Amino acid sequence: MKNFVVKTLANAGALGVAIWLLQDITLTGDSTGKKALTLILVALVFGLVNFLVKPIVKLLTLPLFILTLGLITLVVNALMLLLTSWLAEQFDLSFHVEGFWTAVLGGLIISVVSWALNIVLPDGD
């Protein structure tokens, strides 16, 4: 359980950094508390998308992974971020990613920041 909470907080932090750095990734809310809650909920959705959908997409695009030496990972991460944005809109969360190239850059930022936070934060069960 502790590992799940740590990964969710790392995802929320990584999403927060991407929102801060890129103007086309937006998170709106009335107050700071509402924004923080929305960010945690979006991080949960993002974690579920990465847990459920990403392995299937990676399996289906395995030849492209081999052909591009793994660079297709940037595209897969962008698609997962766009799917998270779409799901957030369906759940009436105020999170939006505008455009594919913004999603590519956002996915890269989220990957790097999440990796760094997962190294720094404890992850025992």
Side-chain angles (χ1 to χ4, degrees), residues 25-114:
I25 299 178
T26 56
L27 178 77
T28 56
D30 299 335
S31 64
T32 304
K34 192 163 192 158
K35 284 182 182 179
L37 179 62
T38 302
L39 187 60
I40 296 293
L41 292 174
V42 169
L44 286 170
V45 170
F46 187 65
L48 284 172
V49 165
N50 281 331
F51 180 73
L52 297 174
V53 179
K54 192 173 183 178
I56 296 167
V57 172
K58 278 183 152 182
L59 182 65
L60 294 175
T61 59
L62 185 62
L64 289 175
F65 273 94
I66 295 167
L67 186 64
T68 64
L69 301 175
L71 288 177
I72 194 75
T73 304
L74 294 172
V75 174
V76 171
N77 287 344
L79 293 175
M80 296 305 108
L81 189 57
L82 287 172
L83 179 60
T84 300
S85 175
W86 180 79
L87 287 171
E89 289 177 19
Q90 301 307 309
F91 291 123
D92 202 28
L93 298 172
S94 56
F95 174 77
H96 183 69
V97 178
E98 184 66 38
F100 175 75
W101 293 109
T102 301
V104 169
L105 191 54
L108 182 62
I109 292 169
I110 290 167
S111 295
V112 170
V113 173
S114 181

